[in-house]
Amino acid sequence: MHPDVVVVGAGIIGAACAQALHRRGLRVLVVDRHGPASGTSASGEGNVLVSDKGPGPELELARSSRRLWPELAEDAEWEEKGGLVVATTEQAVAPLKAFAAGQRAAGIDACELTPDEAREYEPHLNPDLTAAIHYLQDAQLNPVKATRTLLRGITVVRAETSTTDGRSVTTDQGVLHCGAVVNATGPWASRFGVNVLPRRGVVLVTTPIPGTIRHKVYDADYVGAVASGEADLQTSGVVESTPAGTVLIGSSRQRKGFDDVIESKVLTALARRAIALFPMLAGVPVMRAYGGFRPYAPDHLPIIGQDPRTPGLWHATGHEGAGVGLAPATGRLLAELLTGDTPHVDPHPFRVDRPEVMV
């Protein structure tokens, strides 16, 4: 029997789409060349953030996902740890507070802290910090475990896909006939006709220091790096712990195609940024580093919806580094559109026929 929908891509976005379609009674088959969470989803930090998004459509998608994740993240190391965004210079204070004020107006819990109050939350913070915002809604999970949880009860086939006409998918294992196809291939989505580029990111992992860092902590310039369209290397200080006690250190952004070489200059820049936030990290060994490619859309918005050029072809991609945080609402929105239900968020900003993403 043919599936109703073939989802191409078994990362966290593809898994969320498959899960949402499956819940609506559709027969879903997921196809991936390497298996669940084997690409971008395994190379991030597992962040579920509202703190890095200004008022607008992406923030609404993030708020929806934040409401959905606690129920979906069973066995995925879900932590409602909250986040701290800190300013380390006087020049950064006013923009940080203005950004937080805009978020509060949009319904985000963003509480201003004095430097002394921030150090009560994180005692090892740099004593020279100048201001901080506490985001109660920021959370974290294990993206690999979350992807596998979403795919429970759904058939996943390992195969290399080549072409689709919206009603079938050609793979190296043969042709799969279906009622619709969802392109959830992340940074590889351009082969399905949308303008998505790979944006490289690298993460450092320290030896375990349990209980030392309690929240996700990042420098105020992180938001600007996320929103930037520059191709050259950009780094900002991002530090957080895992349940195992290791510390994840980011973040970097760089567009250089699918070049997966980890450069020493990137590692050095990340380490310096982290030490600027937590000087005590200078004495903590780094165990390893890993990198991955994030799906970058030029207008910094996900692509969610039907392709007007190919009946039956749908897209769910372009989330860059926010895929984990936006996955549940993305899957729900795509399933609503595909089945004709009323969308729970406005789908128009994410439509496929935006001039920035049509190729």
Side-chain angles (χ1 to χ4, degrees):
M1 186 177 295
H2 299 323
D4 296 311
V5 183
V6 171
V7 177
V8 184
I12 202 157
I13 294 296
C17 291
Q19 182 267 351
L21 292 163
H22 178 70
R23 279 193 169 188
R24 284 163 173 76
L26 298 179
R27 295 165 298 181
V28 182
L29 177 68
V30 177
V31 181
D32 192 284
R33 57 184 170 179
H34 297 305
S38 57
T40 299
S41 298
S43 62
E45 297 165 299
N47 291 316
V48 179
L49 304 182
V50 296
S51 58
D52 62 342
K53 299 168 184 67
E58 189 178 26
L59 181 59
E60 290 308 304
L61 203 64
R63 293 178 67 190
S64 172
S65 279
R66 179 61 179 83
R67 290 190 293 268
L68 294 169
W69 258 131
E71 177 189 351
L72 297 172
E74 181 184 2
D75 303 326
E77 300 176 11
W78 174 256
E79 290 186 278
E80 298 188 356
K81 61 169 56 178
L84 281 180
V85 185
V86 303
T88 54
T89 65
E90 288 295 340
Q91 294 88 340
V93 173
L96 173 65
K97 292 185 176 182
F99 187 79
Q103 290 177 301
R104 280 194 297 273
I108 299 301
D109 189 340
C111 179
E112 290 188 15
L113 303 179
T114 66
D116 288 341
E117 289 171 333
R119 282 188 290 272
E120 290 179 10
Y121 281 82
E122 291 288 349
H124 297 284
L125 269 173
N126 190 330
D128 294 330
L129 72 95
T130 53
I133 307 293
H134 178 226
Y135 287 91
L136 187 65
Q137 294 155 292
D138 280 0
Q140 185 183 13
L141 51 72
N142 182 313
V144 175
K145 290 184 176 181
T147 301
R148 293 185 179 276
T149 297
L150 291 170
L151 288 171
R152 284 177 183 167
I154 297 169
T155 301
V156 180
V157 175
R158 292 193 180 188
E160 181 79 45
T161 59
S162 55
T163 60
T164 179
D165 61 4
R167 305 301 181 191
S168 66
V169 179
T170 302
T171 79
D172 58 359
Q173 307 295 317
V175 178
L176 300 171
H177 297 280
C178 55
V181 176
V182 177
N183 166 31
T185 57
W188 296 273
S190 62
R191 60 198 177 101
F192 288 87
V194 287
N195 187 20
V196 172
L197 303 171
R199 202 176 191 189
R200 178 77 165 157
V202 175
V203 176
L204 299 179
V205 185
T206 75
T207 54
I209 47 173
T212 305
I213 296 171
R214 306 167 184 173
H215 304 76
K216 177 184 177 68
V217 182
Y218 62 84
D219 196 294
D221 62 3
Y222 173 79
V223 173
V226 170
S228 171
E230 293 294 325
D232 293 340
L233 175 65
Q234 297 178 72
T235 60
S236 52
V238 180
V239 179
E240 62 192 311
S241 63
T242 70
T246 57
V247 176
L248 306 181
I249 295 173
S251 73
S252 68
R253 282 171 167 76
Q254 190 176 20
R255 292 211 317 274
K256 55 174 187 174
F258 285 102
D259 180 357
D260 61 0
V261 174
I262 296 179
E263 301 172 283
S264 60
K265 69 175 183 179
V266 178
L267 305 182
T268 300
L270 292 178
R272 286 175 176 168
R273 289 281 201 162
I275 292 168
L277 291 174
F278 290 94
M280 47 78 59
L281 286 175
V284 179
V286 171
M287 289 195 304
R288 64 187 180 95
Y290 63 89
F293 301 104
R294 300 157 181 158
Y296 167 86
D299 60 358
H300 303 286
L301 283 177
I303 305 164
I304 308 168
Q306 187 170 23
D307 195 313
R309 302 161 296 183
T310 308
L313 175 60
W314 297 74
H315 300 280
T317 184
H319 298 74
E320 203 187 320
V324 172
L326 300 178
T330 294
R332 179 178 172 183
L333 178 59
L334 182 128
E336 289 164 344
L337 294 170
L338 193 150
T339 59
D341 289 347
T342 301
H344 75 288
V345 297
D346 181 7
H348 186 72
F350 311 113
R351 68 195 187 281
V352 180
D353 62 353
R354 291 147 33 205
E356 297 89 349
V357 301
M358 291 281 278
V359 296

